[in-house]
Amino acid sequence: MYLEELSRQLALDYCCSPADVADSNNHFTLYIPQEGRRRFQEQTVCRLKIAVVHGKLLVTGSEEIVAECRKRYADVTGEWFFDIKRLRELEELLAPFGLRIAQVHPFFLPEFGGISSSDFSSPLLSEALNFKLIRYDQDTILQFRGDDRFNQAFAFDPDAPDVLGIAAVRDGEILGMAGASADSPLFWQIGINVSPHAREMHVGATLVRLLAQDILAHGAIPYYGTSMSHIASQRVAHRAGFAVAWAELITEEVR
């Protein structure tokens, strides 16, 4: 599951070492932006973000908030950290600092050997033969700016540019679109949009898997994030050969 690459990336994101990511201890660090960090939904100032990986916590942010988190969570395991009881407690901790929880996401990486193979399961292969595939590069993606049909595939974020796209087309209609954003030089994130009437055709899983292969061919690691409650999206990830690798919480200013 590309765990060595994940350790390298999270070390840059959480201002620690790859060994810190890989061990079994919680780590609390002052956030100093590192070259090569993921810039997905990057904030001007990161006051707190938390990753749960390998059953433990990576916590980074401003000195005073991280110090408070260390007091409370130094010996807490990660397995149940994002349960609602703990999230309520964390919101109480954040309130005096003018912060609140913004998002909590699971993130997926390719399972070993599950993406690089060109072989599809029978349902995926049978459906893939029934539509045309069109690929887009960074320049041709621009034609979809402002097209709400593909708001998950392409974010048009200058900090995490959209670099690859692939569409499933039948009779001139785009049934689904998958896009990759270069969130860091190493990790490229996949987003997917599928037309409602095509959601039982395995279009999403087919496109995600093919785009993951394209990303790997570019020397980057494909990853996939979605909501805790978006079960359909999680199923797309699993069908495409991905498995959950870590979860992440980000905060925002209370306005």
mmCIF file of all heavy atoms in Angstrom, residues 97-122:
data_model
loop_
_atom_site.group_PDB
_atom_site.id
_atom_site.type_symbol
_atom_site.label_atom_id
_atom_site.label_comp_id
_atom_site.label_asym_id
_atom_site.label_seq_id
_atom_site.Cartn_x
_atom_site.Cartn_y
_atom_site.Cartn_z
ATOM 1 N N PHE A 97 -9.457 29.235 21.245
ATOM 2 C CA PHE A 97 -8.498 29.682 20.244
ATOM 3 C C PHE A 97 -9.182 30.206 18.984
ATOM 4 O O PHE A 97 -8.517 30.549 18.005
ATOM 5 C CB PHE A 97 -7.550 28.542 19.866
ATOM 6 C CG PHE A 97 -6.725 28.037 21.011
ATOM 7 C CD1 PHE A 97 -7.078 26.873 21.679
ATOM 8 C CD2 PHE A 97 -5.592 28.723 21.433
ATOM 9 C CE1 PHE A 97 -6.319 26.394 22.732
ATOM 10 C CE2 PHE A 97 -4.823 28.253 22.490
ATOM 11 C CZ PHE A 97 -5.191 27.090 23.144
ATOM 12 N N GLY A 98 -10.517 30.245 19.008
ATOM 13 C CA GLY A 98 -11.259 30.731 17.841
ATOM 14 C C GLY A 98 -11.253 29.770 16.676
ATOM 15 O O GLY A 98 -11.366 30.186 15.524
ATOM 16 N N LEU A 99 -11.147 28.480 16.963
ATOM 17 C CA LEU A 99 -11.111 27.452 15.926
ATOM 18 C C LEU A 99 -12.251 26.465 16.084
ATOM 19 O O LEU A 99 -12.852 26.360 17.155
ATOM 20 C CB LEU A 99 -9.791 26.670 15.983
ATOM 21 C CG LEU A 99 -8.490 27.384 15.633
ATOM 22 C CD1 LEU A 99 -7.325 26.421 15.781
ATOM 23 C CD2 LEU A 99 -8.535 27.964 14.230
ATOM 24 N N ARG A 100 -12.520 25.730 15.018
ATOM 25 C CA ARG A 100 -13.468 24.623 15.049
ATOM 26 C C ARG A 100 -13.008 23.575 14.039
ATOM 27 O O ARG A 100 -12.156 23.839 13.174
ATOM 28 C CB ARG A 100 -14.876 25.089 14.694
ATOM 29 C CG ARG A 100 -15.011 25.627 13.275
ATOM 30 C CD ARG A 100 -16.360 26.256 13.040
ATOM 31 N NE ARG A 100 -16.442 26.879 11.723
ATOM 32 C CZ ARG A 100 -17.395 27.733 11.352
ATOM 33 N NH1 ARG A 100 -18.345 28.082 12.219
ATOM 34 N NH2 ARG A 100 -17.400 28.239 10.135
ATOM 35 N N ILE A 101 -13.557 22.387 14.160
ATOM 36 C CA ILE A 101 -13.254 21.324 13.208
ATOM 37 C C ILE A 101 -13.897 21.661 11.874
ATOM 38 O O ILE A 101 -15.082 22.009 11.810
ATOM 39 C CB ILE A 101 -13.764 19.973 13.733
ATOM 40 C CG1 ILE A 101 -13.020 19.590 15.017
ATOM 41 C CG2 ILE A 101 -13.601 18.877 12.675
ATOM 42 C CD1 ILE A 101 -13.640 18.420 15.752
ATOM 43 N N ALA A 102 -13.123 21.555 10.808
ATOM 44 C CA ALA A 102 -13.641 21.832 9.475
ATOM 45 C C ALA A 102 -14.038 20.547 8.757
ATOM 46 O O ALA A 102 -15.152 20.441 8.230
ATOM 47 C CB ALA A 102 -12.612 22.595 8.643
ATOM 48 N N GLN A 103 -13.150 19.570 8.735
ATOM 49 C CA GLN A 103 -13.412 18.326 8.011
ATOM 50 C C GLN A 103 -12.656 17.175 8.662
ATOM 51 O O GLN A 103 -11.591 17.363 9.248
ATOM 52 C CB GLN A 103 -12.982 18.436 6.546
ATOM 53 C CG GLN A 103 -13.810 19.398 5.720
ATOM 54 C CD GLN A 103 -13.362 19.428 4.264
ATOM 55 O OE1 GLN A 103 -12.334 18.867 3.892
ATOM 56 N NE2 GLN A 103 -14.130 20.097 3.441
ATOM 57 N N VAL A 104 -13.240 15.986 8.531
ATOM 58 C CA VAL A 104 -12.565 14.748 8.902
ATOM 59 C C VAL A 104 -12.771 13.779 7.745
ATOM 60 O O VAL A 104 -13.906 13.492 7.375
ATOM 61 C CB VAL A 104 -13.120 14.144 10.205
ATOM 62 C CG1 VAL A 104 -12.354 12.889 10.574
ATOM 63 C CG2 VAL A 104 -13.076 15.155 11.338
ATOM 64 N N HIS A 105 -11.671 13.301 7.182
ATOM 65 C CA HIS A 105 -11.746 12.450 5.998
ATOM 66 C C HIS A 105 -10.938 11.177 6.173
ATOM 67 O O HIS A 105 -9.839 11.216 6.734
ATOM 68 C CB HIS A 105 -11.165 13.171 4.767
ATOM 69 C CG HIS A 105 -12.040 14.214 4.180
ATOM 70 N ND1 HIS A 105 -13.391 14.096 4.076
ATOM 71 C CD2 HIS A 105 -11.730 15.425 3.629
ATOM 72 C CE1 HIS A 105 -13.891 15.181 3.499
ATOM 73 N NE2 HIS A 105 -12.900 16.003 3.227
ATOM 74 N N PRO A 106 -11.427 10.036 5.612
ATOM 75 C CA PRO A 106 -10.539 8.893 5.392
ATOM 76 C C PRO A 106 -9.847 9.072 4.046
ATOM 77 O O PRO A 106 -10.411 9.639 3.101
ATOM 78 C CB PRO A 106 -11.509 7.709 5.353
ATOM 79 C CG PRO A 106 -12.783 8.291 4.830
ATOM 80 C CD PRO A 106 -12.831 9.728 5.297
ATOM 81 N N PHE A 107 -8.614 8.599 3.951
ATOM 82 C CA PHE A 107 -7.864 8.657 2.699
ATOM 83 C C PHE A 107 -7.406 7.260 2.315
ATOM 84 O O PHE A 107 -7.050 6.448 3.168
ATOM 85 C CB PHE A 107 -6.670 9.606 2.825
ATOM 86 C CG PHE A 107 -7.066 11.059 2.825
ATOM 87 C CD1 PHE A 107 -7.168 11.756 4.010
ATOM 88 C CD2 PHE A 107 -7.352 11.710 1.637
ATOM 89 C CE1 PHE A 107 -7.547 13.093 4.023
ATOM 90 C CE2 PHE A 107 -7.724 13.043 1.627
ATOM 91 C CZ PHE A 107 -7.823 13.740 2.819
ATOM 92 N N PHE A 108 -7.393 7.013 1.012
ATOM 93 C CA PHE A 108 -7.141 5.693 0.453
ATOM 94 C C PHE A 108 -5.881 5.711 -0.409
ATOM 95 O O PHE A 108 -5.611 6.682 -1.117
ATOM 96 C CB PHE A 108 -8.309 5.255 -0.444
ATOM 97 C CG PHE A 108 -9.634 5.113 0.260
ATOM 98 C CD1 PHE A 108 -10.343 6.232 0.710
ATOM 99 C CD2 PHE A 108 -10.205 3.858 0.453
ATOM 100 C CE1 PHE A 108 -11.566 6.099 1.336
ATOM 101 C CE2 PHE A 108 -11.444 3.720 1.086
ATOM 102 C CZ PHE A 108 -12.119 4.849 1.536
ATOM 103 N N LEU A 109 -5.141 4.595 -0.362
ATOM 104 C CA LEU A 109 -4.005 4.361 -1.240
ATOM 105 C C LEU A 109 -4.226 3.057 -2.005
ATOM 106 O O LEU A 109 -5.001 2.192 -1.562
ATOM 107 C CB LEU A 109 -2.713 4.250 -0.434
ATOM 108 C CG LEU A 109 -2.116 5.544 0.123
ATOM 109 C CD1 LEU A 109 -0.902 5.221 0.982
ATOM 110 C CD2 LEU A 109 -1.733 6.506 -0.997
ATOM 111 N N PRO A 110 -3.545 2.887 -3.124
ATOM 112 C CA PRO A 110 -3.683 1.621 -3.855
ATOM 113 C C PRO A 110 -3.217 0.442 -3.014
ATOM 114 O O PRO A 110 -2.204 0.529 -2.320
ATOM 115 C CB PRO A 110 -2.761 1.803 -5.068
ATOM 116 C CG PRO A 110 -2.589 3.269 -5.224
ATOM 117 C CD PRO A 110 -2.652 3.831 -3.825
ATOM 118 N N GLU A 111 -3.980 -0.637 -3.068
ATOM 119 C CA GLU A 111 -3.516 -1.876 -2.445
ATOM 120 C C GLU A 111 -2.378 -2.446 -3.269
ATOM 121 O O GLU A 111 -2.303 -2.237 -4.483
ATOM 122 C CB GLU A 111 -4.653 -2.893 -2.349
ATOM 123 C CG GLU A 111 -5.731 -2.492 -1.366
ATOM 124 C CD GLU A 111 -6.699 -3.616 -1.083
ATOM 125 O OE1 GLU A 111 -7.607 -3.825 -1.894
ATOM 126 O OE2 GLU A 111 -6.528 -4.280 -0.048
ATOM 127 N N PHE A 112 -1.502 -3.161 -2.625
ATOM 128 C CA PHE A 112 -0.324 -3.696 -3.311
ATOM 129 C C PHE A 112 -0.739 -4.562 -4.496
ATOM 130 O O PHE A 112 -1.489 -5.516 -4.349
ATOM 131 C CB PHE A 112 0.520 -4.533 -2.340
ATOM 132 C CG PHE A 112 1.779 -5.072 -2.977
ATOM 133 C CD1 PHE A 112 2.853 -4.231 -3.202
ATOM 134 C CD2 PHE A 112 1.859 -6.394 -3.363
ATOM 135 C CE1 PHE A 112 4.011 -4.721 -3.793
ATOM 136 C CE2 PHE A 112 3.009 -6.893 -3.949
ATOM 137 C CZ PHE A 112 4.088 -6.052 -4.170
ATOM 138 N N GLY A 113 -0.274 -4.175 -5.686
ATOM 139 C CA GLY A 113 -0.573 -4.943 -6.885
ATOM 140 C C GLY A 113 -1.975 -4.747 -7.422
ATOM 141 O O GLY A 113 -2.314 -5.275 -8.482
ATOM 142 N N GLY A 114 -2.792 -3.945 -6.739
ATOM 143 C CA GLY A 114 -4.185 -3.831 -7.153
ATOM 144 C C GLY A 114 -4.445 -2.806 -8.225
ATOM 145 O O GLY A 114 -5.483 -2.840 -8.871
ATOM 146 N N ILE A 115 -3.513 -1.884 -8.444
ATOM 147 C CA ILE A 115 -3.720 -0.811 -9.402
ATOM 148 C C ILE A 115 -2.884 -0.999 -10.655
ATOM 149 O O ILE A 115 -3.331 -0.762 -11.764
ATOM 150 C CB ILE A 115 -3.363 0.553 -8.770
ATOM 151 C CG1 ILE A 115 -4.318 0.853 -7.621
ATOM 152 C CG2 ILE A 115 -3.428 1.671 -9.787
ATOM 153 C CD1 ILE A 115 -5.751 1.053 -8.018
ATOM 154 N N SER A 116 -1.647 -1.446 -10.487
ATOM 155 C CA SER A 116 -0.735 -1.496 -11.620
ATOM 156 C C SER A 116 -1.171 -2.504 -12.675
ATOM 157 O O SER A 116 -0.872 -2.366 -13.852
ATOM 158 C CB SER A 116 0.685 -1.832 -11.147
ATOM 159 O OG SER A 116 0.698 -3.066 -10.468
ATOM 160 N N SER A 117 -1.920 -3.521 -12.262
ATOM 161 C CA SER A 117 -2.395 -4.509 -13.226
ATOM 162 C C SER A 117 -3.405 -3.908 -14.174
ATOM 163 O O SER A 117 -4.237 -3.092 -13.795
ATOM 164 C CB SER A 117 -3.043 -5.686 -12.476
ATOM 165 O OG SER A 117 -3.693 -6.553 -13.388
ATOM 166 N N SER A 118 -3.352 -4.312 -15.424
ATOM 167 C CA SER A 118 -4.319 -3.835 -16.408
ATOM 168 C C SER A 118 -5.567 -4.710 -16.438
ATOM 169 O O SER A 118 -6.493 -4.463 -17.200
ATOM 170 C CB SER A 118 -3.683 -3.816 -17.806
ATOM 171 O OG SER A 118 -3.268 -5.114 -18.183
ATOM 172 N N ASP A 119 -5.591 -5.754 -15.624
ATOM 173 C CA ASP A 119 -6.739 -6.656 -15.605
ATOM 174 C C ASP A 119 -7.859 -6.067 -14.764
ATOM 175 O O ASP A 119 -7.647 -5.616 -13.651
ATOM 176 C CB ASP A 119 -6.352 -8.016 -15.018
ATOM 177 C CG ASP A 119 -5.324 -8.732 -15.878
ATOM 178 O OD1 ASP A 119 -5.327 -8.500 -17.095
ATOM 179 O OD2 ASP A 119 -4.530 -9.501 -15.308
ATOM 180 N N PHE A 120 -9.062 -6.086 -15.299
ATOM 181 C CA PHE A 120 -10.243 -5.654 -14.566
ATOM 182 C C PHE A 120 -11.027 -6.879 -14.129
ATOM 183 O O PHE A 120 -10.962 -7.936 -14.759
ATOM 184 C CB PHE A 120 -11.157 -4.797 -15.444
ATOM 185 C CG PHE A 120 -10.604 -3.449 -15.767
ATOM 186 C CD1 PHE A 120 -9.956 -3.220 -16.973
ATOM 187 C CD2 PHE A 120 -10.731 -2.402 -14.876
ATOM 188 C CE1 PHE A 120 -9.453 -1.975 -17.271
ATOM 189 C CE2 PHE A 120 -10.233 -1.151 -15.170
ATOM 190 C CZ PHE A 120 -9.590 -0.937 -16.383
ATOM 191 N N SER A 121 -11.804 -6.709 -13.051
ATOM 192 C CA SER A 121 -12.776 -7.747 -12.735
ATOM 193 C C SER A 121 -13.815 -7.781 -13.856
ATOM 194 O O SER A 121 -13.957 -6.828 -14.614
ATOM 195 C CB SER A 121 -13.447 -7.451 -11.398
ATOM 196 O OG SER A 121 -14.181 -6.239 -11.481
ATOM 197 N N SER A 122 -14.542 -8.858 -13.957
ATOM 198 C CA SER A 122 -15.463 -9.026 -15.082
ATOM 199 C C SER A 122 -16.465 -7.889 -15.248
ATOM 200 O O SER A 122 -16.670 -7.399 -16.356
ATOM 201 C CB SER A 122 -16.206 -10.362 -14.933
ATOM 202 O OG SER A 122 -15.292 -11.434 -15.020
#
